Amino acid sequence: MTDSSYNPQNLKEKLIETYQDKSLEDLEHGMEMETQYGLCYKFTTQEKLKIKIIGERKVNECILGDLKLIKGIGEAKERKLKEDGCQSIDDLRDHPVFGAAACEFLNHIEKGDSSALSDWISSQYSPSHPLNLLTSSLSGAENLLFMDIETLGLKEVPLILIGVAEASENSLTINQYLMRDLKEEKAVLDGFISHQKTADHVYVTFNGRSFDVPFIRSRMRYHGLEKRINSQHLDLLHFSRRQWKDQLPNCKLQTLEKYLFDLERYDDVPSSLVPDFYLTYLKTGNIGPLVPIIEHNREDVVTLAKILSLLHQKSDF
């Protein structure tokens, strides 16, 4: 993250001095944004990146070839069924015991209902099973929402910033919604939720199942916002642990950046110090302490896209 001489207090003082005569309008790629709940500030940037995901044909082949997805079929039963000629779930349509469940599962496949398939796989295995990583591909890369939040604490406090990235053919578009003061949180939430346009969208986070998503839901309830966050969700922390836990010192996000992509951050603000830097901004009106928070959040969502793409290439399906 930083070299051994890094000192957050020194960084904060340097930033305050550097930005003492500047405002948010002096930063690139930002603009004031109006929502139905008032104003907030939005930064929009691009990152050249092509997300590589497994094709639909390969996904269906892998999923349908796992007979254990049907309740009542274990390793021994699957082996026996395959010896008898049932090589895929499709071959079980007319089976006297497993036919009904097989038809129900195949109906989800035919409809392309990735949310129902994810729930099914999670009930038989776990949310971090590789087949769930595959299932996310069925929605298409354009329906993945890479998301990360910065907050004033661990719970029952406002959100500072929400970053959400969306993929196109060869790039990511990153939108970040910033709360300039404590009255803009509702507008920040509204700006973020506007990206969820269909039920096919899949949120991609890092530890978001335990933190980011519950936190956002809590703040939406606090403000009386009725729109719900899609339940379909890939938490890359768990997939990363499954893939790399025996190869790396740990599976923290910035450890993955360093060892998988040869990236190290400098003058970064650790998540634990984000509240202190933001409160300094509120107290002084100096935007300097905001700058590394915005960059930290942006780098997090870009790294999520890189990790997902690499997982699709590295996982043994």
Side-chain angles (χ1 to χ4, degrees), residues 13 30 34 44 91 104 124 126 129 140 158 167 175 199 206 209 217 244 257 261 264 294-296 302 310:
E13 292 173 0
E34 185 170 1
T44 302
D91 296 328
E104 183 182 354
Q124 292 300 106
S126 73
H129 192 275
N175 286 289
F206 200 84
R209 190 176 297 278
R217 285 176 174 152
W244 293 300
E257 282 183 339
F261 310 117
E264 288 196 72
I294 296 164
E295 184 58 23
H296 173 98
V302 171
L310 188 60

PDB file of all heavy atoms in Angstrom, residues 13 30 34 44 91 104 124 126 129 140 158 167 175 199 206 209 217 244 257 261 264 294-296 302 310:
ATOM      1  N   GLU A  13      -1.700  16.518   6.349  1.00  0.00           N
ATOM      2  CA  GLU A  13      -1.185  17.891   6.402  1.00  0.00           C
ATOM      3  C   GLU A  13      -0.702  18.354   5.039  1.00  0.00           C
ATOM      4  O   GLU A  13      -0.925  19.512   4.637  1.00  0.00           O
ATOM      5  CB  GLU A  13      -0.057  17.978   7.437  1.00  0.00           C
ATOM      6  CG  GLU A  13      -0.546  17.786   8.876  1.00  0.00           C
ATOM      7  CD  GLU A  13       0.583  17.700   9.876  1.00  0.00           C
ATOM      8  OE1 GLU A  13       1.768  17.791   9.447  1.00  0.00           O
ATOM      9  OE2 GLU A  13       0.304  17.539  11.079  1.00  0.00           O
ATOM     10  N   GLY A  30     -15.524  15.837 -12.230  1.00  0.00           N
ATOM     11  CA  GLY A  30     -16.590  15.958 -11.250  1.00  0.00           C
ATOM     12  C   GLY A  30     -17.644  16.979 -11.645  1.00  0.00           C
ATOM     13  O   GLY A  30     -17.393  17.892 -12.422  1.00  0.00           O
ATOM     14  N   GLU A  34     -28.054  16.594  -9.559  1.00  0.00           N
ATOM     15  CA  GLU A  34     -29.354  16.734  -8.905  1.00  0.00           C
ATOM     16  C   GLU A  34     -30.108  15.410  -8.968  1.00  0.00           C
ATOM     17  O   GLU A  34     -30.220  14.790 -10.024  1.00  0.00           O
ATOM     18  CB  GLU A  34     -30.182  17.830  -9.570  1.00  0.00           C
ATOM     19  CG  GLU A  34     -31.484  18.107  -8.850  1.00  0.00           C
ATOM     20  CD  GLU A  34     -32.196  19.347  -9.353  1.00  0.00           C
ATOM     21  OE1 GLU A  34     -31.671  19.997 -10.288  1.00  0.00           O
ATOM     22  OE2 GLU A  34     -33.270  19.668  -8.820  1.00  0.00           O
ATOM     23  N   THR A  44     -17.128  11.020 -12.670  1.00  0.00           N
ATOM     24  CA  THR A  44     -17.258   9.988 -13.702  1.00  0.00           C
ATOM     25  C   THR A  44     -15.941   9.853 -14.444  1.00  0.00           C
ATOM     26  O   THR A  44     -15.429  10.827 -15.008  1.00  0.00           O
ATOM     27  CB  THR A  44     -18.373  10.331 -14.707  1.00  0.00           C
ATOM     28  OG1 THR A  44     -19.607  10.488 -14.003  1.00  0.00           O
ATOM     29  CG2 THR A  44     -18.534   9.222 -15.746  1.00  0.00           C
ATOM     30  N   ASP A  91     -30.493 -35.130 -19.145  1.00  0.00           N
ATOM     31  CA  ASP A  91     -30.786 -36.559 -19.303  1.00  0.00           C
ATOM     32  C   ASP A  91     -31.678 -37.098 -18.189  1.00  0.00           C
ATOM     33  O   ASP A  91     -32.131 -38.246 -18.252  1.00  0.00           O
ATOM     34  CB  ASP A  91     -29.482 -37.367 -19.334  1.00  0.00           C
ATOM     35  CG  ASP A  91     -28.612 -37.029 -20.534  1.00  0.00           C
ATOM     36  OD1 ASP A  91     -29.175 -36.700 -21.598  1.00  0.00           O
ATOM     37  OD2 ASP A  91     -27.370 -37.067 -20.405  1.00  0.00           O
ATOM     38  N   GLU A 104     -37.452 -28.615 -13.221  1.00  0.00           N
ATOM     39  CA  GLU A 104     -37.509 -27.292 -12.592  1.00  0.00           C
ATOM     40  C   GLU A 104     -36.198 -26.540 -12.803  1.00  0.00           C
ATOM     41  O   GLU A 104     -36.182 -25.352 -13.136  1.00  0.00           O
ATOM     42  CB  GLU A 104     -37.799 -27.439 -11.094  1.00  0.00           C
ATOM     43  CG  GLU A 104     -37.943 -26.105 -10.377  1.00  0.00           C
ATOM     44  CD  GLU A 104     -38.184 -26.257  -8.882  1.00  0.00           C
ATOM     45  OE1 GLU A 104     -38.354 -27.410  -8.409  1.00  0.00           O
ATOM     46  OE2 GLU A 104     -38.173 -25.214  -8.182  1.00  0.00           O
ATOM     47  N   GLN A 124     -27.339 -25.915  -2.638  1.00  0.00           N
ATOM     48  CA  GLN A 124     -26.699 -27.225  -2.743  1.00  0.00           C
ATOM     49  C   GLN A 124     -25.221 -27.194  -2.344  1.00  0.00           C
ATOM     50  O   GLN A 124     -24.687 -28.176  -1.833  1.00  0.00           O
ATOM     51  CB  GLN A 124     -26.818 -27.753  -4.175  1.00  0.00           C
ATOM     52  CG  GLN A 124     -28.228 -28.109  -4.599  1.00  0.00           C
ATOM     53  CD  GLN A 124     -28.845 -29.197  -3.737  1.00  0.00           C
ATOM     54  OE1 GLN A 124     -29.723 -28.926  -2.912  1.00  0.00           O
ATOM     55  NE2 GLN A 124     -28.390 -30.429  -3.908  1.00  0.00           N
ATOM     56  N   SER A 126     -22.502 -23.614  -1.844  1.00  0.00           N
ATOM     57  CA  SER A 126     -22.336 -22.392  -1.051  1.00  0.00           C
ATOM     58  C   SER A 126     -22.329 -21.210  -2.009  1.00  0.00           C
ATOM     59  O   SER A 126     -22.111 -21.377  -3.218  1.00  0.00           O
ATOM     60  CB  SER A 126     -21.019 -22.436  -0.269  1.00  0.00           C
ATOM     61  OG  SER A 126     -19.919 -22.237  -1.153  1.00  0.00           O
ATOM     62  N   HIS A 129     -19.252 -21.044  -4.300  1.00  0.00           N
ATOM     63  CA  HIS A 129     -18.893 -22.175  -5.154  1.00  0.00           C
ATOM     64  C   HIS A 129     -18.584 -21.677  -6.566  1.00  0.00           C
ATOM     65  O   HIS A 129     -19.238 -20.754  -7.076  1.00  0.00           O
ATOM     66  CB  HIS A 129     -20.040 -23.192  -5.196  1.00  0.00           C
ATOM     67  CG  HIS A 129     -19.649 -24.492  -5.812  1.00  0.00           C
ATOM     68  ND1 HIS A 129     -19.681 -24.709  -7.179  1.00  0.00           N
ATOM     69  CD2 HIS A 129     -19.185 -25.650  -5.259  1.00  0.00           C
ATOM     70  CE1 HIS A 129     -19.267 -25.939  -7.435  1.00  0.00           C
ATOM     71  NE2 HIS A 129     -18.960 -26.537  -6.304  1.00  0.00           N
ATOM     72  N   GLY A 140     -24.312 -11.431 -18.480  1.00  0.00           N
ATOM     73  CA  GLY A 140     -23.488 -10.637 -19.376  1.00  0.00           C
ATOM     74  C   GLY A 140     -22.677  -9.617 -18.615  1.00  0.00           C
ATOM     75  O   GLY A 140     -23.107  -9.099 -17.571  1.00  0.00           O
ATOM     76  N   PRO A 158     -23.491   7.635   8.544  1.00  0.00           N
ATOM     77  CA  PRO A 158     -23.715   7.906   7.116  1.00  0.00           C
ATOM     78  C   PRO A 158     -22.654   7.304   6.202  1.00  0.00           C
ATOM     79  O   PRO A 158     -21.528   7.012   6.607  1.00  0.00           O
ATOM     80  CB  PRO A 158     -23.682   9.437   7.045  1.00  0.00           C
ATOM     81  CG  PRO A 158     -23.983   9.902   8.423  1.00  0.00           C
ATOM     82  CD  PRO A 158     -23.358   8.873   9.322  1.00  0.00           C
ATOM     83  N   ALA A 167     -19.385  -2.108 -17.089  1.00  0.00           N
ATOM     84  CA  ALA A 167     -18.510  -2.502 -18.193  1.00  0.00           C
ATOM     85  C   ALA A 167     -19.179  -2.268 -19.536  1.00  0.00           C
ATOM     86  O   ALA A 167     -20.379  -2.484 -19.697  1.00  0.00           O
ATOM     87  CB  ALA A 167     -18.126  -3.964 -18.060  1.00  0.00           C
ATOM     88  N   ASN A 175     -18.640   5.605 -11.810  1.00  0.00           N
ATOM     89  CA  ASN A 175     -19.351   6.738 -11.231  1.00  0.00           C
ATOM     90  C   ASN A 175     -19.226   6.676  -9.717  1.00  0.00           C
ATOM     91  O   ASN A 175     -19.440   5.622  -9.103  1.00  0.00           O
ATOM     92  CB  ASN A 175     -20.831   6.709 -11.624  1.00  0.00           C
ATOM     93  CG  ASN A 175     -21.041   7.115 -13.064  1.00  0.00           C
ATOM     94  OD1 ASN A 175     -20.889   8.276 -13.429  1.00  0.00           O
ATOM     95  ND2 ASN A 175     -21.384   6.155 -13.916  1.00  0.00           N
ATOM     96  N   ALA A 199     -33.647  -6.461 -13.144  1.00  0.00           N
ATOM     97  CA  ALA A 199     -33.414  -7.526 -12.169  1.00  0.00           C
ATOM     98  C   ALA A 199     -32.204  -8.373 -12.537  1.00  0.00           C
ATOM     99  O   ALA A 199     -31.754  -9.197 -11.743  1.00  0.00           O
ATOM    100  CB  ALA A 199     -34.656  -8.408 -12.061  1.00  0.00           C
ATOM    101  N   PHE A 206     -16.365  -6.769  -2.604  1.00  0.00           N
ATOM    102  CA  PHE A 206     -15.320  -7.467  -1.853  1.00  0.00           C
ATOM    103  C   PHE A 206     -15.686  -7.344  -0.380  1.00  0.00           C
ATOM    104  O   PHE A 206     -15.588  -6.279   0.207  1.00  0.00           O
ATOM    105  CB  PHE A 206     -13.947  -6.848  -2.138  1.00  0.00           C
ATOM    106  CG  PHE A 206     -12.800  -7.764  -1.816  1.00  0.00           C
ATOM    107  CD1 PHE A 206     -12.374  -8.713  -2.733  1.00  0.00           C
ATOM    108  CD2 PHE A 206     -12.152  -7.689  -0.587  1.00  0.00           C
ATOM    109  CE1 PHE A 206     -11.326  -9.570  -2.448  1.00  0.00           C
ATOM    110  CE2 PHE A 206     -11.100  -8.538  -0.299  1.00  0.00           C
ATOM    111  CZ  PHE A 206     -10.683  -9.483  -1.230  1.00  0.00           C
ATOM    112  N   ARG A 209     -21.050  -8.844   0.962  1.00  0.00           N
ATOM    113  CA  ARG A 209     -22.159  -9.612   1.509  1.00  0.00           C
ATOM    114  C   ARG A 209     -22.309  -9.348   3.006  1.00  0.00           C
ATOM    115  O   ARG A 209     -23.421  -9.302   3.533  1.00  0.00           O
ATOM    116  CB  ARG A 209     -21.951 -11.112   1.252  1.00  0.00           C
ATOM    117  CG  ARG A 209     -23.163 -11.972   1.564  1.00  0.00           C
ATOM    118  CD  ARG A 209     -22.916 -13.425   1.182  1.00  0.00           C
ATOM    119  NE  ARG A 209     -22.712 -13.585  -0.255  1.00  0.00           N
ATOM    120  CZ  ARG A 209     -23.699 -13.665  -1.138  1.00  0.00           C
ATOM    121  NH1 ARG A 209     -24.953 -13.587  -0.730  1.00  0.00           N
ATOM    122  NH2 ARG A 209     -23.432 -13.813  -2.419  1.00  0.00           N
ATOM    123  N   ARG A 217     -28.448  -1.099   2.635  1.00  0.00           N
ATOM    124  CA  ARG A 217     -29.857  -1.373   2.963  1.00  0.00           C
ATOM    125  C   ARG A 217     -30.271  -0.668   4.252  1.00  0.00           C
ATOM    126  O   ARG A 217     -31.385  -0.134   4.353  1.00  0.00           O
ATOM    127  CB  ARG A 217     -30.068  -2.883   3.075  1.00  0.00           C
ATOM    128  CG  ARG A 217     -30.101  -3.583   1.725  1.00  0.00           C
ATOM    129  CD  ARG A 217     -30.219  -5.082   1.876  1.00  0.00           C
ATOM    130  NE  ARG A 217     -30.400  -5.722   0.575  1.00  0.00           N
ATOM    131  CZ  ARG A 217     -30.022  -6.953   0.282  1.00  0.00           C
ATOM    132  NH1 ARG A 217     -29.441  -7.702   1.217  1.00  0.00           N
ATOM    133  NH2 ARG A 217     -30.222  -7.458  -0.923  1.00  0.00           N
ATOM    134  N   TRP A 244      -7.003 -18.520  -4.114  1.00  0.00           N
ATOM    135  CA  TRP A 244      -5.617 -18.118  -3.863  1.00  0.00           C
ATOM    136  C   TRP A 244      -5.155 -18.228  -2.413  1.00  0.00           C
ATOM    137  O   TRP A 244      -4.017 -17.856  -2.103  1.00  0.00           O
ATOM    138  CB  TRP A 244      -5.407 -16.683  -4.340  1.00  0.00           C
ATOM    139  CG  TRP A 244      -5.503 -16.530  -5.821  1.00  0.00           C
ATOM    140  CD1 TRP A 244      -4.722 -17.139  -6.761  1.00  0.00           C
ATOM    141  CD2 TRP A 244      -6.438 -15.721  -6.553  1.00  0.00           C
ATOM    142  NE1 TRP A 244      -5.108 -16.760  -8.022  1.00  0.00           N
ATOM    143  CE2 TRP A 244      -6.157 -15.884  -7.937  1.00  0.00           C
ATOM    144  CE3 TRP A 244      -7.464 -14.858  -6.187  1.00  0.00           C
ATOM    145  CZ2 TRP A 244      -6.881 -15.241  -8.936  1.00  0.00           C
ATOM    146  CZ3 TRP A 244      -8.193 -14.210  -7.185  1.00  0.00           C
ATOM    147  CH2 TRP A 244      -7.901 -14.401  -8.532  1.00  0.00           C
ATOM    148  N   GLU A 257      -4.013  -7.120  -5.325  1.00  0.00           N
ATOM    149  CA  GLU A 257      -3.480  -6.161  -6.303  1.00  0.00           C
ATOM    150  C   GLU A 257      -1.973  -6.344  -6.490  1.00  0.00           C
ATOM    151  O   GLU A 257      -1.468  -6.370  -7.613  1.00  0.00           O
ATOM    152  CB  GLU A 257      -3.733  -4.721  -5.826  1.00  0.00           C
ATOM    153  CG  GLU A 257      -5.136  -4.210  -6.022  1.00  0.00           C
ATOM    154  CD  GLU A 257      -5.255  -2.762  -5.593  1.00  0.00           C
ATOM    155  OE1 GLU A 257      -4.416  -2.274  -4.818  1.00  0.00           O
ATOM    156  OE2 GLU A 257      -6.215  -2.112  -6.024  1.00  0.00           O
ATOM    157  N   PHE A 261      -1.520  -8.396  -9.874  1.00  0.00           N
ATOM    158  CA  PHE A 261      -1.457  -7.378 -10.931  1.00  0.00           C
ATOM    159  C   PHE A 261      -0.224  -6.487 -10.820  1.00  0.00           C
ATOM    160  O   PHE A 261      -0.082  -5.536 -11.590  1.00  0.00           O
ATOM    161  CB  PHE A 261      -2.721  -6.508 -10.899  1.00  0.00           C
ATOM    162  CG  PHE A 261      -4.003  -7.302 -10.871  1.00  0.00           C
ATOM    163  CD1 PHE A 261      -4.868  -7.228  -9.789  1.00  0.00           C
ATOM    164  CD2 PHE A 261      -4.333  -8.147 -11.922  1.00  0.00           C
ATOM    165  CE1 PHE A 261      -6.039  -7.970  -9.752  1.00  0.00           C
ATOM    166  CE2 PHE A 261      -5.497  -8.892 -11.898  1.00  0.00           C
ATOM    167  CZ  PHE A 261      -6.353  -8.812 -10.807  1.00  0.00           C
ATOM    168  N   GLU A 264       0.908  -1.415  -6.559  1.00  0.00           N
ATOM    169  CA  GLU A 264       0.991  -0.958  -5.177  1.00  0.00           C
ATOM    170  C   GLU A 264       0.507   0.481  -5.113  1.00  0.00           C
ATOM    171  O   GLU A 264       0.810   1.297  -5.988  1.00  0.00           O
ATOM    172  CB  GLU A 264       2.410  -1.071  -4.642  1.00  0.00           C
ATOM    173  CG  GLU A 264       2.859  -2.498  -4.384  1.00  0.00           C
ATOM    174  CD  GLU A 264       4.098  -2.571  -3.506  1.00  0.00           C
ATOM    175  OE1 GLU A 264       3.981  -2.289  -2.292  1.00  0.00           O
ATOM    176  OE2 GLU A 264       5.167  -2.897  -4.039  1.00  0.00           O
ATOM    177  N   ILE A 294     -11.470   9.527  -2.496  1.00  0.00           N
ATOM    178  CA  ILE A 294     -12.075   9.338  -3.818  1.00  0.00           C
ATOM    179  C   ILE A 294     -11.229   8.383  -4.658  1.00  0.00           C
ATOM    180  O   ILE A 294     -11.744   7.470  -5.311  1.00  0.00           O
ATOM    181  CB  ILE A 294     -12.240  10.695  -4.525  1.00  0.00           C
ATOM    182  CG1 ILE A 294     -13.233  11.573  -3.749  1.00  0.00           C
ATOM    183  CG2 ILE A 294     -12.713  10.508  -5.971  1.00  0.00           C
ATOM    184  CD1 ILE A 294     -13.190  13.041  -4.135  1.00  0.00           C
ATOM    185  N   GLU A 295      -9.911   8.566  -4.628  1.00  0.00           N
ATOM    186  CA  GLU A 295      -9.021   7.713  -5.422  1.00  0.00           C
ATOM    187  C   GLU A 295      -8.998   6.284  -4.876  1.00  0.00           C
ATOM    188  O   GLU A 295      -8.986   5.325  -5.649  1.00  0.00           O
ATOM    189  CB  GLU A 295      -7.607   8.301  -5.436  1.00  0.00           C
ATOM    190  CG  GLU A 295      -6.617   7.535  -6.306  1.00  0.00           C
ATOM    191  CD  GLU A 295      -7.040   7.429  -7.767  1.00  0.00           C
ATOM    192  OE1 GLU A 295      -7.831   8.273  -8.239  1.00  0.00           O
ATOM    193  OE2 GLU A 295      -6.580   6.483  -8.436  1.00  0.00           O
ATOM    194  N   HIS A 296      -8.994   6.141  -3.564  1.00  0.00           N
ATOM    195  CA  HIS A 296      -9.027   4.815  -2.932  1.00  0.00           C
ATOM    196  C   HIS A 296     -10.274   4.047  -3.386  1.00  0.00           C
ATOM    197  O   HIS A 296     -10.196   2.871  -3.770  1.00  0.00           O
ATOM    198  CB  HIS A 296      -9.040   5.001  -1.407  1.00  0.00           C
ATOM    199  CG  HIS A 296      -9.243   3.744  -0.626  1.00  0.00           C
ATOM    200  ND1 HIS A 296      -8.207   3.024  -0.074  1.00  0.00           N
ATOM    201  CD2 HIS A 296     -10.379   3.066  -0.283  1.00  0.00           C
ATOM    202  CE1 HIS A 296      -8.681   1.977   0.565  1.00  0.00           C
ATOM    203  NE2 HIS A 296     -10.005   1.972   0.444  1.00  0.00           N
ATOM    204  N   VAL A 302     -12.184  -0.694  -9.618  1.00  0.00           N
ATOM    205  CA  VAL A 302     -11.442  -1.159 -10.792  1.00  0.00           C
ATOM    206  C   VAL A 302     -10.780  -2.510 -10.489  1.00  0.00           C
ATOM    207  O   VAL A 302     -10.797  -3.432 -11.320  1.00  0.00           O
ATOM    208  CB  VAL A 302     -10.381  -0.121 -11.216  1.00  0.00           C
ATOM    209  CG1 VAL A 302      -9.467  -0.702 -12.296  1.00  0.00           C
ATOM    210  CG2 VAL A 302     -11.053   1.151 -11.736  1.00  0.00           C
ATOM    211  N   LEU A 310      -9.953 -12.215 -13.849  1.00  0.00           N
ATOM    212  CA  LEU A 310      -8.899 -13.206 -13.633  1.00  0.00           C
ATOM    213  C   LEU A 310      -9.475 -14.507 -13.070  1.00  0.00           C
ATOM    214  O   LEU A 310      -9.032 -15.597 -13.442  1.00  0.00           O
ATOM    215  CB  LEU A 310      -7.842 -12.639 -12.683  1.00  0.00           C
ATOM    216  CG  LEU A 310      -6.580 -13.490 -12.506  1.00  0.00           C
ATOM    217  CD1 LEU A 310      -5.862 -13.688 -13.844  1.00  0.00           C
ATOM    218  CD2 LEU A 310      -5.636 -12.834 -11.495  1.00  0.00           C
TER     219      LEU A 310
END
